[in-house]
Amino acid sequence: MRISVFLLVLFTVACSSGPKPPPSPRINEIQLIGTHNSYRPGLGPSEMSLLRKTDPRQADNWEYKHLPLDQQLDLGVRQFEFDIFVDTNGGLFANPLGPRRVAQAGLPADPPFDPNGALKQPGFKVMHVQDLDYRSSCQPFTNCLSILREWSKRNPRHLPIFVLVENKDSKPKGEGYVTPEPVTMEALSALDAEIRSIFPPEELITPDDVRGPFQSLEQAVLKRGWPTVERARGKFIFLLDQERFTPMYTAGRSMLEGRVLFTNSLPGTPDAAFVKLNNPLTDGDEIQKLVKEGYLVRTMTDNGVEGVRGNDTTRRDAAFANGAHLLSTDYPFTYKHPQSGYSVGFDSGIARCNPVTAKPGCSEAQLTEGPPPAEAQ
């Protein structure tokens, strides 16, 4: 009996002394696919017909459209982009020019653009260009976030989801367009509040979480690095797109203390952690440099209207090879261009180990969204 116990102990020790599984990669050691203007369902048919007559080039640029957010998530999209406008009192964008122009041209009315009256309510509104390209698959901004969160709750092992927010306050040239409210420090604080009204702290990764004890956010990502994929599962990371609003967002909070969003920043500043470089062909060397140093980088993969129509993959391939972490497209995975078949996806899976930063041992198995392996439980 004592011999049996002794042998069992030896067997247990032998098993436990075997090779340990590789550690989880960090989120800057993988690549994910996202969508550009993720909320955009496209113009109404009559609006597009009218635009093709008046501005064919713009019509070509606006021919893309996206599936509803939850369907994009089902495909594997893990980065979203929302253009938002301040609408403190509600109703600022509730009566756009588009339907009136369609009626004046004698064209059939397009489907309703705001069937639930969301545009009449206070809060940030989601649209590409007021009066011209104002339709959204989710309105207002908090509803877009709620759709993402509800999907997340149904799929708690998902890879981190990145949300890029582009604040807008410009007015199209010409008469009759809505003049938007300016983006102010108060508006940016209201943006933080809207995000926190949907996501509890445990579902977010914020600058405070990443900075930890370091003296600046930049120091944290360059010396310690980003959280691991395992730690980031089921969580959201928000990114502020427009550089011109960074000074307001960081005023009195140079390291983004208490803020929700990571700024699109300049390396060498205390808030530097995320950088947007949208052309992997002309910015390729800079992207690789920043990726190697530890910054998180977002880029665009599609090579313009003609490139997409011709299934030109040179820009996409450069984005993959340069190591940018967030690869933004209008045609993710199986959602292909209807004529050329162009799309952006990996050979397998919805994520892959980063060709520039991944450490030995990183594998596709670590990036699946099923149950965790036994050793990680």
Side-chain angles (χ1 to χ4, degrees):
M1 187 66 172
R2 291 181 178 176
I3 295 176
S4 298
V5 172
F6 177 70
L7 291 175
L8 178 61
V9 170
L10 284 179
F11 177 76
T12 303
V13 170
C15 290
S16 62
S17 63
K20 293 182 179 180
S24 171
R26 296 184 180 272
I27 59 177
N28 64 316
E29 295 172 352
I30 67 173
Q31 288 183 307
L32 298 169
I33 289 173
T35 48
H36 156 249
N37 294 344
S38 312
Y39 58 88
R40 191 176 178 277
L43 300 181
S46 290
E47 290 169 327
M48 178 56 83
S49 176
L50 186 59
L51 184 63
R52 288 212 175 276
K53 293 178 182 178
T54 58
D55 193 344
R57 184 178 181 85
Q58 187 67 280
D60 285 344
N61 289 333
W62 286 358
E63 70 179 7
Y64 71 95
K65 53 188 175 182
H66 289 296
L67 295 169
L69 300 181
D70 55 349
Q71 294 182 37
Q72 293 183 51
L73 284 160
D74 288 339
L75 283 181
V77 172
R78 295 296 178 265
Q79 178 253 297
F80 294 84
E81 179 186 14
F82 297 102
D83 297 324
I84 63 170
F85 289 79
V86 182
D87 189 10
T88 304
N89 299 315
L92 184 59
F93 306 101
N95 187 29
L97 279 176
R100 285 175 275 159
R101 286 180 167 175
V102 166
Q104 291 168 1
L107 297 173
D110 284 318
F113 60 90
D114 187 27
N116 299 318
L119 289 173
K120 298 177 182 178
Q121 305 303 314
F124 289 96
K125 301 304 186 299
V126 178
M127 65 189 75
H128 189 210
V129 181
Q130 68 271 37
D131 290 297
L132 298 176
D133 189 11
Y134 52 86
R135 293 175 181 267
S136 173
S137 64
C138 55
Q139 197 72 267
F141 182 52
T142 50
N143 184 47
C144 303
L145 300 183
S146 294
I147 293 170
L148 298 180
R149 183 171 186 254
E150 287 303 313
W151 185 93
S152 173
K153 289 165 65 178
R154 297 193 301 270
N155 301 272
R157 285 277 300 164
H158 67 75
L159 295 171
I161 295 172
F162 294 82
V163 181
L164 189 67
V165 180
E166 181 173 346
N167 298 84
K168 290 189 168 183
D169 61 4
S170 60
K171 179 183 177 181
K173 295 180 180 178
E175 296 296 323
Y177 299 110
V178 170
T179 300
E181 293 184 51
V183 175
T184 62
M185 291 179 64
E186 291 76 16
L188 293 172
S189 292
L191 173 59
D192 277 1
E194 281 208 359
I195 295 170
R196 290 192 186 277
S197 75
I198 303 300
F199 294 97
E202 64 271 16
E203 295 176 11
L204 295 172
I205 293 179
T206 66
D208 286 340
D209 297 323
V210 173
R211 188 179 61 256
F214 285 84
Q215 293 182 352
S216 73
L217 183 58
E218 181 180 55
Q219 191 179 87
V221 298
L222 299 187
K223 293 188 175 181
R224 180 181 60 185
W226 291 81
T228 65
V229 168
E230 279 305 308
R231 181 189 162 197
R233 287 185 183 276
K235 297 188 178 185
F236 288 77
I237 300 171
F238 283 81
L239 310 168
L240 187 68
D241 181 275
Q242 291 292 313
E243 301 97 317
R244 65 191 179 101
F245 299 127
T246 294
M248 282 193 288
Y249 196 67
T250 57
R253 309 182 191 207
S254 63
M255 297 181 292
L256 297 173
E257 302 96 314
R259 288 300 197 184
V260 174
L261 298 99
F262 292 85
T263 49
N264 176 15
S265 51
L266 292 173
T269 57
D271 60 309
F274 161 66
V275 180
K276 181 186 72 171
L277 290 170
N278 278 343
N279 193 328
L281 294 174
T282 59
D283 298 329
D285 290 343
E286 182 67 8
I287 289 174
Q288 283 205 35
K289 173 179 176 291
L290 295 176
V291 166
K292 289 177 181 178
E293 290 174 351
Y295 300 97
L296 194 76
V297 178
R298 181 259 198 172
T299 198
M300 298 280 287
T301 60
D302 303 347
N303 202 13
V305 174
E306 294 304 320
V308 168
R309 289 175 176 174
N311 196 22
D312 178 358
T313 65
T314 54
R315 183 163 167 164
R316 180 194 72 186
D317 297 343
F320 279 22
N322 291 340
H325 309 96
L326 307 177
L327 309 170
S328 190
T329 179
D330 291 326
Y331 303 96
F333 299 104
T334 56
Y335 187 72
K336 300 180 179 182
H337 187 275
Q339 278 79 49
S340 69
Y342 171 86
S343 67
V344 177
F346 302 121
D347 291 337
S348 62
I350 65 168
R352 73 170 191 168
C353 298
N354 193 300
V356 174
T357 59
K359 295 181 175 62
C362 180
S363 69
E364 184 181 317
Q366 295 177 301
L367 308 181
T368 61
E369 295 185 334
E375 64 270 9
Q377 292 179 351

